[in-house]
Amino acid sequence: MRNQNLLYGTLIIYFNKITLMNWLRKIGYLSAFIIPALTISSFYVGGIANLSTLLFVYLLIPLIDRITGRDLSNVPKSSVNSVANDFYYRFVTYCWTYFQLAFIIWAAWAVTTHSLSLFEWIVFTIAVSLSTGGIGITVAHELGHKKSSLERFYSKVLLMTVSYMHFYIEHNKGHHVRVSTPEDPATSRENESFYAFWWRSVTKGYRSAWEIENRRLERKGISRWSLHNNMIWFTLLPFLFAGALSAGISLYLGYFVWQPALFFFTQSFFAFSLLEAVNYVEHYGLMRKKVDENRYEQVAPHHSWNASQIVSNFFLFQLQRHSDHHFNAIKRYQVLDHYDEAPQLPAGYPTMILMAHLPALWFKVMNPKLAQWNEKSESEGLVG
């Protein structure tokens, strides 16, 4: 009887521990809201306080990542379905969609109605973009892969707020097909600087989205210049939104203001540039084998750099587990797996993004890692 009671007590402690960990993980994904909350509070303090968001993202999060380390555990296979279908995780992303709309409107109002120095204006705009680009585009990326029409609509709304709606087409139907090949604008090449990559990815990615959409319409026998062309709408909607933003604030104030539109497009630039920095980091130098003249091998976990730093993954909805995302694109963020056999980044995205902006440092750190990975994968037959 005593042994039975001991076993029973041990099981209770074990399951309570699992329940506690599950709740901590759920709460962890709410940490994304800390960043805009810090931006808002710092704005009203003013001055150098506006740097708080940048310091939090690029100094404090990497420091905490360093202390807490990586989470290499995966959701047990027996629990994947229940966790994947838990509405809570979708609800957090839905909340972010509505929040980002309100956040952009508030920020446009704030820069219009407050007297800011050039330093405050620039730093505040970058701080806003860390939310709209770093988190907002991450959420849009998550929702854009799903089958639900509501989630896909929310994805488009979020991308509209950063003037990068073509990403919805190019990422899903272009990047995921051509990833880690020379044909993919969003795959960075070995020894290619972030700045060279940025120009190629931005310009060729936009052009690619038009080509993909035009082919879709041609298959249906519809003119590419019809209103059925999503790229026409995706190009126009950010301008319409910026116009509505300026018009609404102008009407409320009783006189015309141009600041909302300028702010909107400036934060958009910083936001999608942040996305491109993430793209640069995710696939740097990794290439798929060519099977024949027209085909590459199937996408596998080793075609993306992986990072499982626990804290930054909470802020980025596990985007850093990018190896599994490309292997299972429709998989929800909360059940993405860590792969030991994938190439591992030396740090989380905040650190790697900073490093990407310093080409000499980036090449010094990443080229040896890439060479080691290529040597290892060649010996294992993963590259040819």
Side-chain angles (χ1 to χ4, degrees), residues 198-226:
W198 182 95
W199 177 255
R200 179 168 54 81
S201 186
V202 170
T203 58
K204 291 190 176 182
Y206 181 74
R207 189 192 315 163
S208 172
W210 273 101
E211 292 169 354
I212 292 169
E213 183 65 5
N214 288 343
R215 288 197 297 269
R216 181 186 74 87
L217 293 173
E218 285 171 8
R219 287 194 298 268
K220 294 186 174 184
I222 301 173
S223 169
R224 65 180 62 184
W225 301 114
S226 74

Side-chain angles (χ1 to χ4, degrees), residues 15 33 54 78 87 118 136 216 230 236 302 304-305 316 334:
F15 285 113
F33 291 91
L54 281 71
S78 58
F87 179 72
L118 181 61
R216 181 186 74 87
N230 286 321
L236 291 176
H302 61 269
S304 306
W305 289 96
L316 293 171
Q334 65 268 26

Side-chain angles (χ1 to χ4, degrees), residues 315-354:
F315 281 91
L316 293 171
F317 296 91
Q318 299 226 98
L319 179 67
Q320 298 178 146
R321 289 192 168 188
H322 209 62
S323 296
D324 195 24
H325 167 68
H326 269 277
F327 190 47
N328 303 281
I330 202 169
K331 204 170 181 181
R332 293 193 177 273
Y333 70 90
Q334 65 268 26
V335 292
L336 288 173
D337 286 335
H338 166 84
Y339 282 92
D340 281 327
E341 61 269 30
Q344 306 295 319
L345 290 170
Y349 281 10
T351 301
M352 301 310 296
I353 287 169
L354 274 183

Side-chain angles (χ1 to χ4, degrees), residues 244-259:
L245 202 57
S246 290
I249 294 176
S250 294
L251 285 172
Y252 187 85
L253 294 175
Y255 55 89
F256 174 75
V257 289
W258 49 266
Q259 291 93 331

